[in-house]
Amino acid sequence: MDGTGLIVSSSPHQRAAVSTPVIMSDVILALMPAALAGVWFFGLRALAMMVVCVAAAVGTEAGLEKLMKKPVTIEDYSAAVAGFLLALVLPPDLPLWMGAIGAAFAMAIAKFIFGGLGQNIFNPALIGRAVLLASWPVFMTRWRWPIFQAPWIPDFDAVSSATPLALWKLNGIKTPYLNLFLGNVAGSIGETSALAILVGAAYLLWRGHISWRIPVSFIGTVAVLTALFGQDPVFHVLAGGLLLGAFFMATDYVTSPVTPKGQIVFGVGCGVLTVFIRLYGGYPEGVCYAILIMNAAAALIDRLTVPRKFGEVKKVA
Amino acid sequence: MRDVLRLGFILFAICAVAAGALAFVNDITEERIAAQAAMKLEQALESVVPGAEEFRDETDRVLALKAAVSDGGRPEFPLINRVYVGYDNGEMVGTAFACTPSGYGGPIDAVVGVSRDGVVTGLTVVKHTETPGLGANITSRDFQMRFVGLRAGIPVKVTKDGGQVEAITGATISSRAVASAVDQALRLFELVTREGVW
Amino acid sequence: MSFRSELTKGLVRENPTFRILLGMCPTMATSLAISNGIGMGIAATFVLVGSNVIVSMLRNVIPSRIRIPCYIVVIASFVTMVDLIMAAFVPKLHEVLGIFIPLIVVNCIILARAEAFASKNGVLYSLADGIGMGLGFTLALTGLSAIRELLGTGTLLAVPDFGFPGFRIFDRSLAAVMVILPPGGFITLGLLIGLLNSLTRRKKKAAQT
């Protein structure tokens, strides 16, 4: 407790009719375009990865809750969402059992040990990805060019198995915007198509499940900072996992701040870290680590950005 | 006051006994430890410069040159620590360069052997703190053999940087470090040959 | 209090790693392979037994006001001896354990046993305590490193510095590298402590009913 005996939480402080299962099934719906794009570009293997990850996540959660004699909570779909999100940020050719381990780890270590839904500090899907990257870096950085080639896409001769960000960082080759926008590039199953992600994000915004604050401040910071460093901001926004991360991962209720001001701080922090990792880090992409690091700071940000009560006067230091 | 003296004396006595015991242990182990260090260096040198019977540390001679070419006081070959020249029957057969490039997890101690005509004859990693399973593969023979046969005159780089040596999968930074050491060894060799030291 | 109970308490009941959570730094850093774990365990046990016996012998000589510097001198001397002896006779193992040999000096297990046990008990009991605690530490390190070696490299009992590749259980490329990196160490240790706690709790419950 923070000494005052008060818990910071978002207003209004009444229970709305919108419950966790409703939000979660809407999130699943919103992820469908990205998932379909993944299957379209990377084939049924991508679909198999999604099925395996969701099954492993749901199975692990139910199994652990049964084992520890806790109420089984798989019906709120949050485990399914975590598994689904994890599959979307994995390379299409990753062995399926590795995906399953990632999902199981995400549920058991990142969520269950911390006390289940609402108690976890870090986004489970991203923890799953980070653990897989640390455990099997060779498999996790093996990419594939999409099977499907659209005839209207400009012929891009650097057809390579490297992701656009890696191509840019290591070889200085820039992938055309149209490829990035439609998703005809190498990358994680669900992160390649900016168009599909934006369609899903628009749905979530329209339903009011996420606010604009985190995604806009996150993506805006990346654009402004990359421009300041003399890079192409449009490329940096479209490439890699930024859009998927900003709309679907950074906005996770449990692991991001609840105060409006805090959400802006959170988004800016994610953006700054992403840019620094992309430009100066050892990895080409930094969205996953940026969000995880800011997850750790979320509670702190909340404390520092508690909205002032009406009539409260700023304390003189 | 007397108390301080008493405490001081007890502590002194314990330290003295401890020091005596340590001196004794040091006495019986000193020679073996020195022999082992020498043997290790010898083994590393022999493995990179085949055919050499004896090695002489000629770092100072080379260093004198190095100082001559350094740019604004900065050493031109910061990765090279020592230079050992291998002889067989008084005839020079090759040179071993002890280098310390910076890897992913810290400094890497490596020895690069270069033959008389400027070809890499061997490479060995003496000490490193790279990631197990990834960067630690710089100690594998398979990786080290990728450098053997490279010639002075062509910069040594990993393929990602437009060079000729394929990096270890997932360990570009470690591979790059080793490549930079080999590169400096070859460049120093070229310089020394040009200056006619050997 | 009996010689036997002093000897066995360090194994499980008061295991220094899993129960008292002492000496975490060397535990994390050296539990990468069974051979390292055992080597570190034996070295620490030697220092622990030596310092326990000497501290116990001198417990009536050392004034309490300067006891900590005295203990440190005794411990540091034993550590230096181990360091020199290992460098001379098992140089490969010495190289693998590297900085962690001199760091046994600051391994809290040793100072803690000197302060909490040896300075208050007789030589024989202190000897038993040192052996028990040392074996408990060795056991914990071996168990932890067995899990980490298996999952992180796919082998068991490998001693690469002696040219023994160990028993390969599965292919190296399938091994989870993270397990032998620091985060994997923390997670594995945490899970082991949790498991042990839940087992003892269950046992206690069963004993009560």
Side-chain angles (χ1 to χ4, degrees):
Chain A
M1 259 331 93
D2 56 359
T4 60
L6 295 172
I7 304 165
V8 186
S9 66
S10 57
S11 56
H13 298 275
Q14 282 158 338
R15 285 199 165 247
V18 190
S19 61
T20 307
V22 173
I23 298 175
M24 288 300 156
S25 43
D26 267 350
V27 172
I28 293 176
L29 202 62
L31 284 171
M32 278 305 162
L36 288 176
V39 177
W40 175 264
F41 285 118
F42 300 109
L44 288 175
R45 192 68 184 17
L47 184 66
M49 181 63 85
M50 294 172 209
V51 172
V52 165
C53 285
V54 170
V58 174
T60 307
E61 176 151 292
L64 277 174
E65 283 168 342
K66 282 241 169 71
L67 189 75
M68 306 301 280
K69 303 193 177 70
K70 297 237 156 83
V72 174
T73 57
I74 54 171
E75 270 144 33
D76 66 14
Y77 300 129
S78 65
V81 166
F84 197 14
L85 274 172
L86 174 65
L88 295 182
V89 294
L90 295 178
D93 281 344
L94 189 78
L96 293 174
W97 62 269
M98 287 185 189
I101 289 186
F105 193 98
M107 284 301 112
I109 310 286
K111 189 175 167 194
F112 191 75
I113 282 189
F114 284 92
L117 183 67
Q119 309 292 324
N120 48 310
I121 299 174
F122 298 102
N123 185 313
L126 288 178
I127 287 283
R129 188 193 142 78
V131 163
L132 289 176
L133 183 60
S135 292
W136 293 284
V138 176
F139 288 95
M140 283 294 287
T141 50
R142 197 178 282 166
W143 307 98
R144 174 150 60 82
W145 190 252
I147 340 171
F148 174 79
Q149 299 293 329
W152 65 83
I153 277 180
D155 201 26
F156 169 47
D157 44 75
V159 173
S160 129
S161 58
T163 61
L165 283 171
L167 271 179
W168 173 241
K169 185 163 192 167
L170 302 168
N171 307 74
I173 299 171
K174 206 183 290 170
T175 311
Y177 293 155
L178 192 60
N179 285 52
L180 291 171
F181 187 69
L182 295 174
N184 207 23
V185 289
S188 297
I189 293 171
E191 72 171 25
T192 62
S193 173
L195 177 66
I197 295 164
L198 289 173
V199 168
Y203 176 72
L204 279 189
L205 282 166
W206 172 68
R207 293 278 287 165
H209 292 327
I210 61 174
S211 91
W212 57 272
R213 289 187 197 91
I214 291 176
V216 167
S217 56
F218 189 170
I219 297 167
T221 306
V222 170
V224 170
L225 264 187
T226 47
L228 278 179
F229 280 103
Q231 302 254 340
D232 179 350
V234 181
F235 170 77
H236 273 283
V237 168
L238 292 178
L242 176 60
L243 293 176
L244 188 67
F247 284 107
F248 290 94
M249 312 273 199
T251 52
D252 176 16
Y253 293 143
V254 180
T255 56
S256 64
V258 291
T259 63
K261 225 193 287 172
Q263 292 180 341
I264 303 272
V265 173
F266 184 84
V268 171
C270 287
V272 170
L273 287 169
T274 301
V275 171
F276 278 97
I277 296 173
R278 278 189 185 180
L279 300 186
Y280 301 106
Y283 291 102
E285 173 62 305
V287 170
C288 172
Y289 293 124
I291 298 176
L292 284 174
I293 293 170
M294 291 310 290
N295 280 166
L300 248 133
I301 296 173
D302 262 340
R303 278 180 71 164
L304 294 176
T305 54
V306 185
R308 217 176 302 159
K309 283 185 232 79
F310 181 71
E312 188 185 21
V313 183
K314 197 176 176 183
K315 278 192 205 110
V316 182
Chain B
M1 187 61 204
R2 274 195 53 199
D3 200 35
V4 172
L5 280 179
R6 194 178 66 90
L7 294 182
F9 177 75
I10 293 172
L11 194 53
F12 169 77
I14 290 176
C15 287
V17 175
L22 285 180
F24 174 71
V25 174
N26 186 47
D27 214 39
I28 48 176
T29 54
E30 194 179 16
E31 231 168 85
R32 283 189 74 110
I33 294 176
Q36 244 131 22
M39 205 173 76
K40 215 179 142 192
L41 178 65
E42 186 83 356
Q43 272 174 355
L45 295 179
E46 272 167 14
S47 74
V48 298
V49 182
E53 202 175 57
E54 156 199 33
F55 286 93
R56 284 184 217 145
D57 186 343
E58 299 192 6
T59 314
D60 295 340
R61 260 172 84 194
V62 175
L63 263 177
L65 275 179
K66 206 162 104 180
V69 290
S70 62
D71 166 28
R74 227 160 20 105
E76 194 80 352
F77 302 97
L79 302 184
I80 312 272
N81 294 330
R82 311 222 55 95
V83 181
Y84 301 93
V85 182
Y87 292 92
D88 182 33
N89 281 329
E91 200 183 324
M92 177 213 170
V93 289
T95 317
F97 296 90
C99 336
T100 314
S102 297
Y104 187 74
I108 298 170
D109 280 343
V111 183
V112 182
V114 181
S115 74
R116 267 183 77 163
D117 41 355
V119 176
V120 176
T121 49
L123 164 74
T124 182
V125 173
V126 184
K127 207 172 168 186
H128 72 91
T129 47
E130 300 304 283
T131 315
L134 290 172
N137 286 333
I138 53 172
T139 57
S140 75
R141 199 177 148 69
D142 172 54
F143 173 69
Q144 296 176 351
M145 289 308 283
R146 294 178 200 175
F147 291 93
V148 173
L150 297 179
R151 284 185 167 278
I154 309 156
V156 179
K157 283 182 189 163
V158 293
T159 40
K160 261 188 185 163
D161 301 336
Q164 65 283 63
V165 180
E166 203 185 318
I168 297 165
T169 320
T172 311
I173 295 173
S174 313
S175 312
R176 201 178 270 155
V178 176
S180 68
V182 176
D183 185 59
Q184 285 208 356
L186 283 177
R187 281 199 289 122
L188 181 57
F189 176 86
E190 240 189 327
L191 175 87
V192 176
T193 323
R194 204 166 52 228
E195 301 275 322
V197 177
W198 295 314
Chain C
M1 193 184 208
S2 75
F3 185 82
R4 214 175 124 199
S5 77
E6 292 312 312
L7 195 65
T8 55
K9 71 175 181 218
L11 296 181
V12 180
R13 208 159 14 103
E14 290 179 35
N15 186 292
T17 306
F18 292 141
R19 275 279 184 262
I20 321 181
L21 301 192
L22 287 174
M24 289 292 110
C25 171
T27 304
M28 282 299 126
T30 58
S31 60
L32 303 179
I34 298 176
S35 57
N36 292 5
I38 294 178
M40 183 67 192
I42 292 173
T45 304
F46 177 81
V47 175
L48 190 52
V49 170
S51 78
N52 256 14
V53 168
I54 299 288
V55 167
S56 170
M57 268 159 57
L58 297 178
R59 71 185 187 279
N60 296 325
V61 183
I62 298 175
S64 72
R65 278 166 63 190
I66 54 161
R67 65 185 194 285
I68 299 294
C70 292
Y71 300 160
I72 290 290
V73 169
V74 171
I75 296 168
S77 305
F78 274 106
V79 170
T80 312
M81 281 179 209
V82 171
D83 194 31
L84 291 173
I85 291 170
M86 285 181 77
F89 298 98
V90 275
K92 295 255 166 92
L93 186 64
H94 182 257
E95 215 168 88
V96 176
L97 297 178
I99 183 71
F100 294 100
I101 297 289
L103 281 183
I104 296 177
V105 167
V106 287
N107 185 331
C108 330
I109 297 174
I110 293 157
L111 188 61
R113 292 332 285 177
E115 167 76 2
F117 194 91
S119 63
K120 300 179 182 112
N121 291 287
V123 175
L124 210 58
Y125 285 141
S126 298
L127 176 74
D129 179 79
I131 296 174
M133 286 289 159
L135 285 181
F137 181 59
T138 311
L139 213 65
L141 265 183
T142 311
L144 187 60
S145 46
I147 297 175
R148 293 182 73 186
E149 183 180 349
L150 175 65
L151 297 181
T153 61
T155 61
L156 274 179
L157 286 167
V159 198
D161 294 270
F162 294 105
F164 180 61
F167 304 100
R168 180 147 294 285
I169 312 295
F170 53 86
D171 194 72
R172 167 120 223 179
S173 66
L174 301 179
V177 180
M178 190 190 77
V179 182
I180 43 175
L181 297 178
F186 282 108
I187 293 169
T188 317
L189 179 67
L191 290 178
L192 275 180
I193 294 173
L195 186 73
L196 206 69
N197 279 347
S198 101
L199 283 182
T200 25
R201 205 176 301 152
R202 214 162 278 181
K203 220 165 134 191
K204 251 185 214 159
K205 244 186 212 160
Q208 273 168 5
T209 48

